[in-house]
Every structure is written in structure tokens, then in C-alpha cells.
Amino acid sequence: MSGGALEWVSVYCPYCGEPLDLAIDTSLDVQHYIEDCQVCCRPMVVRVAVSEEGEIEVGVDREGGD
């Protein structure tokens, strides 16, 4: 994969339900990290998978799975 490209992806906070835009680094095929919601500041688990074709799949969950 070519490196360094950022793509913006819209998701909804699993706590407050507000829409958020996340910058995704498409140079990594798989990512798993914690990011605070920009609205309610609660920690979200962000999971990203980028296919060889460049398709981005993003999932967000509450930290701890509650």
C-alpha cells in the first residue's frame, strides 16, 4: 500500500450518539486504538481495516464493551 494518506470517515459516538469525523491513516491495514469523543469526551475503541483495494471499514464501541 502507498503510505501516508488520510481519509475522513464519519461515525457516531457509541455514548452520546453525536456524529464525528475521524481521520484515518490508510497506510496501515489494521488499526485498533482509543480516541475520546469530540463531544462528550468519553473513550471510544476505534477499529479500522483497510482492504487492498483501499476500502475503509471503521467500527467504534464503548471502552470496556458496556
Side-chain angles (χ1 to χ4, degrees), residues 21-53:
D21 290 324
L22 300 178
I24 303 299
D25 180 354
T26 60
S27 69
L28 302 171
D29 294 339
V30 177
Q31 302 169 58
H32 181 197
Y33 59 92
I34 304 288
E35 182 165 328
D36 290 343
C37 172
Q38 301 153 4
V39 178
C40 71
C41 300
R42 295 181 76 181
M44 306 177 295
V45 177
V46 180
R47 292 179 180 83
V48 179
V50 180
S51 73
E52 289 183 18
E53 295 79 28

Side-chain angles (χ1 to χ4, degrees), residues 8-21:
W8 290 93
V9 175
S10 295
V11 299
Y12 291 92
C13 174
Y15 295 100
C16 68
E18 290 293 320
L20 307 167
D21 290 324

